[in-house]
Amino acid sequence: MSKKELKEMSFLEHLEELRKILIRATLAIIIMATVVFFVSDFIFDSVIFGPTRTSFVTYRFFCDLSHYVGFKDSICVESLPFIIQNTDMEGQVNILVWICLVAGFILSFPYILWLLWGFISPALYEKERKNAALFIFVASILFFLGVLFGYFVVIPMSVNFFATFKVSDIVQNHFTLDSYIGMVKTSLIASGLFFELPIIIYFLTKLGLVTPAFLRKYWKYAVVIILIVAAIVTPPDVVSQLIVAIPMLIIYEASIYISVLVHKKQLKENG
């Protein structure tokens, strides 16, 4: 479809194209969710509930790091004093469905990107349309890196923090299955989408909605927000907070650098 054809399409025709994309994306998610369903025992026992065990790789890494920097056992996770319980009759069924759908979305993300690219590519120049494979590859890698960051960093940090936080020794932590799964879903999807920030900034800069000057101006606010988030989801020690904050700061800096490149190219093309 050429730019001319795109411009000649009516609003309803655009909606029809978008509807087709949503249907295809939904089918892809359902198909992948069905695949996940057949390995759901492994997904729940080894993946979803992995961070609830002190033997989880992240906790072992922190313990080894604690010994390496001379902190002894100060940041070792020796116990996670909580239990997860289901309080709703249909709770476990709902959780199974949601986890399959979330996993289906994550696994089908490259295909969803390909569908979205097909929707917006007619509005791009021929040279930009040729970069479809690169765009989908880079965006997919960033998303999967974000999901891994959420799983191996954000989730175990959050579990450790909330499991050990107490207002009184009288109160015991009995987390509901729904609240735990909600935290897992939010951490995975939010981290994956946050790592898409460079791609988002690329398009926003091309559209003129964001400039490098704008991103630099609010850099200090972004740093404060990132540090606050890191402090919330980590134990009260500097090492843990830096491990969470540094990758997020790198992503933000990378976004600024991409915005600079796009802005310079636009200025050059405009003469």
Side-chain angles (χ1 to χ4, degrees):
M1 188 184 298
S2 65
K3 277 191 173 185
K4 184 178 179 180
E5 291 173 326
L6 179 70
K7 291 178 181 178
E8 292 175 351
M9 289 177 64
S10 67
F11 177 72
L12 291 179
E13 288 173 328
H14 279 294
L15 287 181
E16 177 62 20
E17 285 296 316
L18 183 59
R19 184 185 71 85
K20 292 178 181 178
I21 289 174
L22 292 176
I23 291 174
R24 291 171 184 170
T26 301
L27 287 175
I29 292 172
I30 292 174
I31 291 171
M32 296 309 298
T34 303
V35 174
V36 171
F37 172 78
F38 288 104
V39 292
S40 58
D41 289 344
F42 170 79
I43 294 294
F44 276 95
D45 293 339
S46 300
V47 180
I48 300 299
F49 295 119
T52 65
R53 304 183 182 96
T54 57
S55 59
F56 189 64
V57 61
T58 301
Y59 303 137
R60 288 190 280 109
F61 168 78
F62 272 102
C63 195
D64 292 340
L65 179 64
S66 177
H67 295 157
Y68 180 77
V69 297
F71 289 172
K72 296 184 179 181
D73 294 334
S74 60
I75 56 176
C76 287
V77 178
E78 298 177 349
S79 65
L80 294 170
F82 71 96
I83 65 170
I84 298 176
Q85 58 184 355
N86 176 50
T87 58
D88 298 321
M89 183 175 294
E90 72 282 5
Q92 296 198 51
V93 175
N94 291 338
I95 292 303
L96 174 61
V97 173
W98 269 112
I99 287 299
C100 288
L101 290 175
V102 170
F105 171 76
I106 292 172
L107 294 175
S108 60
F109 190 77
Y111 177 69
I112 295 173
L113 284 178
W114 181 74
L115 291 175
L116 291 175
W117 181 265
F119 182 72
I120 66 174
S121 61
L124 304 176
Y125 293 104
E126 182 64 27
K127 182 179 179 181
E128 295 171 327
R129 289 202 293 269
K130 292 180 179 179
N131 295 327
L134 178 62
F135 163 77
I136 295 171
F137 176 77
V138 173
S140 298
I141 291 297
L142 286 174
F143 180 76
F144 290 135
L145 286 175
V147 170
L148 291 175
F149 178 75
Y151 180 70
F152 287 106
V153 178
V154 177
I155 291 177
M157 293 288 192
S158 300
V159 169
N160 181 41
F161 174 77
F162 290 115
T164 56
F165 181 84
K166 287 185 177 182
V167 294
S168 172
D169 290 335
I170 297 176
V171 183
Q172 295 182 343
N173 286 325
H174 289 194
F175 302 142
T176 64
L177 177 63
D178 186 60
S179 66
Y180 176 78
I181 296 299
M183 183 271 295
V184 170
K185 291 187 300 183
T186 301
S187 299
L188 293 179
I189 300 300
S191 297
L193 294 180
F194 178 79
F195 271 57
E196 292 294 299
L197 185 61
I199 302 295
I200 295 171
I201 293 299
Y202 171 83
F203 283 106
L204 291 179
T205 303
K206 285 189 70 68
L207 293 172
L209 299 176
V210 168
T211 63
F214 174 84
L215 295 174
R216 287 293 183 192
K217 178 180 178 180
Y218 291 97
W219 181 85
K220 58 183 178 181
Y221 300 106
V223 171
V224 171
I225 292 173
I226 288 172
L227 290 176
I228 290 174
V229 171
I232 291 174
V233 302
T234 60
D237 63 85
V238 177
V239 176
S240 301
Q241 292 170 9
L242 289 178
I243 288 176
V244 172
I246 288 176
M248 299 174 72
L249 291 172
I250 291 174
I251 289 293
Y252 188 81
E253 282 295 327
S255 302
I256 295 176
Y257 178 72
I258 289 173
S259 181
V260 169
L261 293 179
V262 174
H263 191 64
K264 285 183 177 179
K265 184 177 180 180
Q266 288 180 326
L267 292 177
K268 186 178 180 180
E269 291 175 349
N270 295 331

